[in-house]
Amino acid sequence: MKLAFQLAYKNLIGAGLRTWLNVGVLALSFIIIIFFRGFLEGWNHQAIRDNIEWELGAGHLVHNGYDPYDPFSILDGHGRLTQEQQVDLFPVLVRQASLYPEGRMLSVALKGIDGQQNLLELPTASFTSSNTKIPAIIGKNMATSIDIKEGDEILLRWRDKGGTFDAANVTIVKIFSTNVITVDKGQVWIPIQKLWEMTGLENHASYYVANENYTPSSLEGWNYKTKDDLLSDFYKLMEMEKISTSFMYLLLLAIALLAIFDTQVLSVFRRQKEIGTYIALGMTRSQVVGLFTVEGTMYSLFAMIVGCIFGLPLFWYLHTSGISFPDFYQDMGVSFPTRLFPSFGIQLILTTILLVVVSAAVVSYLPARKIAKMNPVLALKGKMQ
Amino acid sequence: MNQETIIKINNLTKRFPVGEGEFTALKNINLEFFKGEFSGLVGPSGSGKTTLLNIIGSLDSPTEGEAIVLGKQISKLSHKESALLRNKHIGFIFQVYNLLPVYTVFENVEFALLLQNIPSEKRKKMVNDALEWVGLSSMANKKPDKLSGGEGQRVAIARAMVKNPEIIIADEPSANLDAANAHAILKTMKQMNKELGTTFIFSTHDEKVMGYLDRIIHLRDGMVEEDEIINVNHAP
Ligand SMILES: Nc1ncnc2c1ncn2[C@@H]1O[C@H](COP(=O)(O)OP(=O)(O)OP(=O)(O)O)[C@@H](O)[C@H]1O
Ligand SMILES: [Mg+2]
């Protein structure tokens, strides 16, 4: 085995340009695969972190009647907890309402949240810094869609305690920028005390947001969902994304491996005389098969080294400085950060290397197998077809 | 003289499949080679010289009959055993040298020793000795494509003899060489034969080669036509 490595090494170095072309193609696919996987992983981590920081906290204690995906559940999906039951929780009340930007009507989720909270990133402190009657904060996406600026007023209509419509102007005191589209698009945040007053639902909440200290206990009519429960759809999406993107990696890998395969097929054909000579000098055919397989596999080992030389500094740089994206992407309504920090785990790099090396070994072995059936006499004559 | 049999060929027939039928390249050959012989197969093209040499070299096996080389029956050897036989006991010299292009002269000669796991110090000495034999010590680090034809064939001779094999098989070694080079390599081989006792079997059309041989086996149409012992002691 050691001998096969020595000989394969000499053969590859001796082959010059052909070797470095294959190595180059492989190294490039190493880098691209690792880069994209790292990019995706970084994006996912960031999305999870953002969701927790902007919306989820440690979890939500949700009223059994409330389903965030079902607007009809908003009407009755609320209730109240006693003061003692609310330790390490703060309430969020959701109502349906309409905005009237420039004469149009826009259905929104009107959410009451405590201006004192500092668990979520939502800039609720802006409520108190303003003297307006109904201060509201909205996300940038929302602001763009209704074409409104900080300080502007807009007409809001909601149902009061009697179920009849009421209307008033709200003042946009703050427009925040977030990657979490679910707190932005179609959402208007106002102080919860105000919303209680407006709707007569004193101390009611659709859900409570928990902080890290909260210990869930079973409460009649309420259901505690940890942040992981709440993210389960996202996790599923991540899995699907992994599967669909792995097709891309496989394609990329296939192209790189094709280069090795091609070289191997050609080698077995063109180097018959050499193969015959190896056998005449006392190698068994399986040793020659081994030699050719090691040669092909060695492309991937060289590629790994080359990839590390060029890739590691690049990955390190991207990981620490991040990649910045123009606001453009947020404006398209994609949950996309302005600065993304790809994460290149050891595991990611090692599995990619393993994948490439193993598949290189396989595609090297397949054409080399032909050698085992070669007639050494014909090989020496170079007459095999 | 008490001669030791090194190769024995009994009723050997070799047939090749050709299209639907078969072609008989060797017909019922019976031959014996003795240790230290400097012999050659001579005959027209297609008479079966290479085929016989390949069987003796365990690169091929007989269809019928048997070839016993150094006490081993060729047709009964496994891949591993025949590889071992070639690696340790049989040296090959080809018409077109068959040097490994990416290796240096030194590495080409060293190859068979690498397969034998000989330690590097000893290997180095053996390779240098072999290169000295063929007068190429100064070319050790050259690649084969930088050598002349005569030099290339001398490297091939060094490669065949470095492991000190009992038998060296040389299939038309002078066919690509000019007269001066042909004589030079033959002298070297004859000297090895004398000093090291290596058994040589050639195949050739070349009159110059025939002039050096102690024994000429004439083949025609796959049969031994004449087995001619030449009892001259050449010292050209
Ligand atoms: N693998 C093979 N398949 C079919 N026929 C073969 C094969 N090898 C050799 N032959 C035939 O066997 C005969 C003997 O071939 P061989 O190569 O032994 O001749 P040779 O005496 O060495 O000739 P030359 O002087 O041209 O080298 C030839 O007619 C050749 O065509
Ligand atoms: Mg021949």
Side-chain angles (χ1 to χ4, degrees):
Chain A
M1 201 59 185
K2 186 176 155 234
L3 182 64
F5 271 92
Q6 282 173 3
L7 299 179
Y9 178 79
K10 271 186 203 166
N11 286 345
L12 288 191
I13 297 293
L17 186 63
R18 181 165 51 100
T19 298
W20 297 115
L21 282 177
N22 280 336
V23 168
V25 171
L26 263 184
L28 201 67
S29 36
F30 258 129
I31 292 176
I32 293 176
I33 290 175
I34 292 176
F35 173 77
F36 273 108
R37 289 181 62 179
F39 182 88
L40 217 61
E41 210 142 291
W43 185 5
N44 288 336
H45 283 162
Q46 213 154 322
I48 289 170
R49 207 174 48 232
D50 286 345
N51 268 294
I52 291 168
E53 285 174 357
W54 283 86
E55 190 176 25
L56 305 182
H60 285 177
L61 182 64
V62 185
H63 189 267
N64 277 348
Y66 175 67
D67 174 1
Y69 300 110
D70 175 9
F72 296 108
S73 72
I74 292 177
L75 189 60
D76 298 318
H78 54 83
R80 54 196 289 183
L81 295 179
T82 64
Q83 211 56 42
E84 303 83 69
Q85 287 169 329
Q86 284 189 43
V87 178
D88 296 317
L89 294 172
F90 71 80
V92 172
L93 178 62
V94 186
R95 308 309 296 152
Q96 260 192 312
S98 308
L99 282 183
Y100 291 87
E102 294 161 344
R104 286 187 293 134
M105 190 192 91
L106 184 72
S107 275
V108 295
L110 182 62
K111 290 186 173 169
I113 187 170
D114 192 347
Q116 307 294 322
Q117 73 82 24
N118 51 15
L119 178 65
L120 301 183
E121 294 269 326
L122 287 167
T124 50
S126 310
F127 292 151
T128 47
S129 69
S130 128
N131 305 322
T132 53
K133 218 169 128 250
I134 310 177
I137 58 174
I138 58 173
K140 213 166 159 185
N141 186 284
M142 179 72 179
T144 317
S145 71
I146 60 177
D147 192 19
I148 205 168
K149 301 185 305 291
E150 281 179 12
D152 287 356
E153 290 195 346
I154 186 163
L155 183 66
L156 179 82
R157 200 172 73 136
W158 72 96
R159 280 176 197 270
D160 68 11
K161 53 185 116 180
T164 51
F165 284 108
D166 204 346
N169 272 342
V170 296
T171 311
I172 306 301
V173 293
K174 179 85 189 164
I175 293 170
F176 55 85
S177 170
T178 179
N179 303 321
V180 183
I181 207 73
T182 46
V183 301
D184 181 336
K185 199 171 188 170
Q187 317 280 311
V188 176
W189 299 85
I190 62 170
I192 195 164
Q193 294 80 2
K194 206 62 141 193
L195 188 58
W196 285 336
E197 209 177 281
M198 286 154 64
T199 56
L201 296 170
E202 206 66 33
N203 291 321
H204 275 248
S206 304
Y207 63 88
Y208 290 85
V209 181
N211 66 31
E212 287 300 337
N213 302 324
Y214 178 70
T215 37
S217 56
S218 76
L219 288 169
E220 183 72 27
W222 297 83
N223 185 9
Y224 185 66
K225 292 180 175 168
T226 64
K227 56 189 179 215
D228 287 330
D229 296 336
L230 294 166
L231 284 166
S232 66
D233 282 346
F234 184 79
Y235 291 144
K236 268 186 218 143
L237 202 71
M238 261 169 71
E239 278 310 307
M240 270 161 56
E241 193 180 59
K242 251 187 198 152
I243 292 168
S244 62
T245 49
S246 50
F247 280 110
M248 190 192 84
Y249 307 141
L250 288 182
L251 198 72
L252 201 63
L253 197 62
I255 293 170
L257 292 176
L258 202 66
I260 296 188
F261 187 78
D262 190 53
T263 305
Q264 289 291 97
V265 171
L266 219 67
S267 282
V268 171
F269 181 74
R270 276 206 314 220
R271 291 165 68 189
Q272 287 175 50
K273 253 202 164 91
E274 185 185 331
I275 292 167
T277 307
Y278 287 135
I279 293 172
L281 288 171
M283 280 176 101
T284 61
R285 275 175 269 192
S286 22
Q287 270 178 311
V288 183
V289 173
L291 172 61
F292 275 61
T293 307
V294 171
E295 263 185 40
T297 312
M298 211 175 253
Y299 286 120
S300 66
L301 300 178
F302 283 180
M304 192 179 79
I305 295 167
V306 172
C308 281
I309 292 171
F310 292 100
L312 286 182
L314 177 73
F315 295 152
W316 181 250
Y317 172 77
L318 293 177
H319 178 67
T320 49
S321 331
I323 308 168
S324 64
F325 292 92
D327 285 351
F328 173 73
Y329 291 100
Q330 283 95 53
D331 297 346
M332 292 197 331
V334 182
S335 168
F336 211 87
T338 39
R339 183 161 285 274
L340 194 147
F341 295 86
S343 80
F344 304 104
I346 286 292
Q347 202 198 344
L348 166 69
I349 293 177
L350 289 184
T351 51
T352 308
I353 287 175
L354 195 72
L355 180 74
V356 176
V357 172
V358 168
S359 39
V362 172
V363 296
S364 309
Y365 172 69
L366 294 178
R369 249 179 347 173
K370 211 178 156 195
I371 296 169
K373 296 195 206 90
M374 262 190 196
N375 178 339
V377 173
L378 294 185
L380 272 169
K381 286 186 190 158
K383 280 193 184 155
M384 305 279 302
Q385 292 305 309
Chain B
M1 191 151 65
N2 197 4
Q3 284 184 309
E4 186 186 330
T5 303
I6 200 165
I7 297 163
K8 193 154 172 29
I9 292 164
N10 295 328
N11 303 321
L12 183 147
T13 295
K14 178 70 181 177
R15 283 189 283 268
F16 292 109
V18 180
E20 294 289 288
E22 281 184 329
F23 176 82
T24 308
L26 295 172
K27 292 169 201 157
N28 200 26
I29 305 275
N30 286 285
L31 277 173
E32 209 169 339
F33 292 87
F34 301 101
K35 189 168 164 49
E37 262 184 351
F38 203 72
S39 62
L41 308 177
V42 172
S45 189
S47 56
K49 305 182 292 292
T50 299
T51 305
L52 185 55
L53 288 185
N54 285 336
I55 292 173
I56 293 171
S58 82
L59 288 171
D60 210 343
S61 56
T63 314
E64 280 166 24
E66 54 191 29
I68 297 160
V69 177
L70 296 167
K72 304 219 160 48
Q73 198 170 330
I74 295 300
S75 57
K76 299 252 165 82
L77 295 180
S78 67
H79 281 318
K80 222 175 174 166
E81 288 164 335
S82 77
L84 200 68
L85 180 69
R86 289 191 296 273
N87 181 221
K88 289 206 161 155
H89 306 290
I90 302 174
F92 288 88
I93 297 169
F94 303 98
Q95 179 178 340
V96 289
Y97 329 137
N98 283 15
L99 299 177
L100 301 167
V102 302
Y103 297 177
T104 62
V105 165
F106 185 95
E107 290 165 343
N108 263 284
V109 176
E110 188 187 26
F111 194 93
L113 306 180
L114 281 176
L115 294 179
Q116 292 181 20
N117 283 322
I118 291 173
S120 106
E121 276 307 306
K122 189 172 172 205
R123 221 162 54 216
K124 207 168 158 187
K125 188 177 177 316
M126 290 168 84
V127 174
N128 285 330
D129 285 352
L131 286 176
E132 208 166 307
W133 256 99
V134 298
L136 286 181
S137 299
S138 61
M139 309 245 170
N141 294 318
K142 286 208 169 153
K143 290 273 171 74
D145 58 359
K146 297 281 184 303
L147 302 176
S148 72
E151 287 162 350
Q153 196 59 300
R154 274 144 72 193
V155 175
I157 294 171
R159 180 173 69 179
M161 62 89 61
V162 69
K163 55 200 183 186
N164 200 10
E166 280 86 343
I167 303 165
I168 289 182
I169 289 172
D171 193 354
E172 316 217 19
S174 64
N176 285 5
L177 299 179
D178 59 34
N181 272 308
H183 280 295
I185 64 153
L186 276 154
K187 275 183 193 153
T188 306
M189 290 194 274
K190 185 81 197 176
Q191 197 186 346
M192 282 175 191
N193 168 249
K194 284 247 181 67
E195 295 185 18
L196 307 174
T198 315
T199 307
F200 279 80
I201 307 176
F202 290 82
S203 111
T204 189
H205 303 281
D206 187 349
E207 299 283 341
K208 296 187 289 296
V209 176
M210 293 179 214
Y212 287 82
L213 299 177
D214 302 335
R215 176 185 179 191
I216 297 177
I217 298 155
H218 296 268
L219 289 185
R220 182 175 289 276
D221 297 333
M223 289 184 285
V224 178
E225 196 182 45
E226 192 192 345
D227 191 346
E228 182 187 3
I229 309 284
I230 299 157
N231 253 340
V232 281
N233 209 347
H234 266 287

